[in-house]
Amino acid sequence: MKIFKKIFGSSSEKSKDFSEKKEVMINISSVNKDKIPSNAEIIYESQIPEYCSIGNLIFEKKFHEAIELGKKLLEKTPYSDGVHVNLMDAYFKVRNENPIFYDKSVEHARLAMLYGHNTGYVQERLAINLEKLGKINQAIQVCNIVLLDQFHFSAHGCGNKEEFTKRKEKLIKKLSKATDNEGSVLFTDEEISFLIEQIRKEDERIKKEKNEHEKRMKQFEKELNF
């Protein structure tokens, strides 16, 4: 795939291309515009990632509209885990309309996981979908990645490594019925390293934000006591 040639090219190329992960932001009023009185005057409002609009369309059961919006957003931010996780949901909702939609749900789950979505939601959906497709070896690989020492779930998620230990044990018992083989992999070694690196970078970002917040609070207390 061309996208991975970009990501896993030289170090400079990797840094340049992955900067496209920066989310497209929109005013929160554009998501809730139907609930805002026409004569209301907005003094100040926060911004949210535009992919939240995909989630709203899914909530309204406008699944195909959600998919089309997701496709457009991927043209701007192809490495957005937020866009991919929403496309995973949208395609899963319409999976019975066309067999290819189930495969697309799996692929977007894979990409969301690759680009750093580690709440546990994507990993669980990916393992379940692969198991239903009979791709037991690939489902086991998802579990193995989750169980790596370098992998951890986001503090804001619901992921639990113990659940994936149990899931792996159950999957192993189904290997005789697998439609894939031991050599089938969902993630290459290079992609796994990349995935782990995204988690490390997110940890650094959170730590930096925490330190900056603590500095601001100390400065604020200092000014109050002056």
Side-chain angles (χ1 to χ4, degrees):
M1 294 174 65
K2 291 183 179 180
I3 190 170
F4 291 115
K5 287 181 181 179
K6 288 184 178 181
I7 295 175
F8 302 115
S10 65
S11 298
S12 60
E13 287 176 338
K14 187 184 302 182
S15 174
K16 179 181 178 182
D17 289 323
F18 202 67
S19 65
E20 293 179 41
K21 184 179 179 181
K22 186 176 180 181
E23 303 294 354
V24 176
M25 305 298 287
I26 57 174
N27 291 332
I28 195 169
S29 62
S30 64
V31 177
N32 297 309
K33 56 186 177 182
D34 294 337
K35 299 179 182 178
I36 300 175
S38 58
N39 61 344
E41 180 181 358
I42 299 174
I43 306 300
Y44 172 82
E45 63 178 318
S46 301
Q47 289 194 317
I48 57 174
E50 191 172 4
Y51 64 71
C52 293
S53 297
I54 309 175
N56 280 355
L57 289 171
I58 294 172
F59 180 77
E60 295 170 1
K61 298 185 178 181
K62 299 176 180 179
F63 306 126
H64 289 284
E65 289 182 35
I67 289 170
E68 290 307 310
L69 176 57
K71 289 178 180 178
K72 290 179 181 178
L73 291 183
L74 283 184
E75 293 176 4
K76 304 174 186 176
T77 55
Y79 311 138
S80 168
D81 58 304
V83 175
H84 285 294
V85 72
N86 276 286
L87 279 171
M88 173 196 79
D89 283 338
Y91 276 116
F92 185 75
K93 293 292 186 181
V94 295
R95 65 191 182 281
N96 294 326
E97 295 181 16
N98 190 324
I100 197 174
F101 290 160
Y102 202 96
D103 292 332
K104 285 184 176 294
S105 179
V106 170
E107 178 59 8
H108 284 293
R110 189 183 84 85
L111 291 172
M113 182 172 170
L114 177 65
Y115 298 145
H117 198 285
N118 65 326
T119 64
Y121 178 55
V122 163
Q123 289 75 18
E124 181 180 30
R125 171 52 55 198
L126 190 51
I128 291 172
N129 283 3
L130 289 168
E131 181 180 356
K132 289 183 177 180
L133 289 170
K135 298 180 179 181
I136 308 300
N137 287 282
Q138 293 177 52
I140 289 174
Q141 189 193 31
V142 172
C143 295
N144 286 338
I145 293 172
V146 168
L147 296 174
L148 288 172
D149 290 338
Q150 307 98 309
F151 183 98
H152 68 80
F153 289 114
S154 166
H156 304 294
C158 56
N160 186 316
K161 284 202 172 193
E162 185 177 343
E163 291 180 5
F164 280 84
T165 298
K166 295 177 181 178
R167 185 181 297 280
K168 179 181 176 180
E169 292 172 353
K170 292 179 180 179
L171 286 167
I172 289 174
K173 294 177 181 178
K174 297 182 178 182
L175 276 171
S176 61
K177 300 179 181 179
T179 58
D180 59 356
N181 55 56
E182 192 175 348
S184 301
V185 294
L186 192 66
F187 296 96
T188 65
D189 290 342
E190 196 168 27
E191 287 173 342
I192 293 172
S193 296
F194 180 82
L195 183 159
I196 296 299
E197 179 65 8
Q198 302 321 301
I199 294 176
R200 186 191 67 78
K201 287 181 178 180
E202 180 64 8
D203 289 344
E204 286 185 353
R205 185 190 67 78
I206 292 173
K207 183 178 180 180
K208 182 180 178 181
E209 286 186 353
K210 181 181 178 182
N211 290 338
E212 290 176 349
H213 174 72
E214 289 176 351
K215 286 180 181 178
R216 288 196 298 270
M217 291 305 295
K218 286 181 180 179
Q219 181 62 31
F220 181 64
E221 290 176 2
K222 184 178 180 180
E223 292 174 357
L224 284 177
N225 295 325
F226 181 72

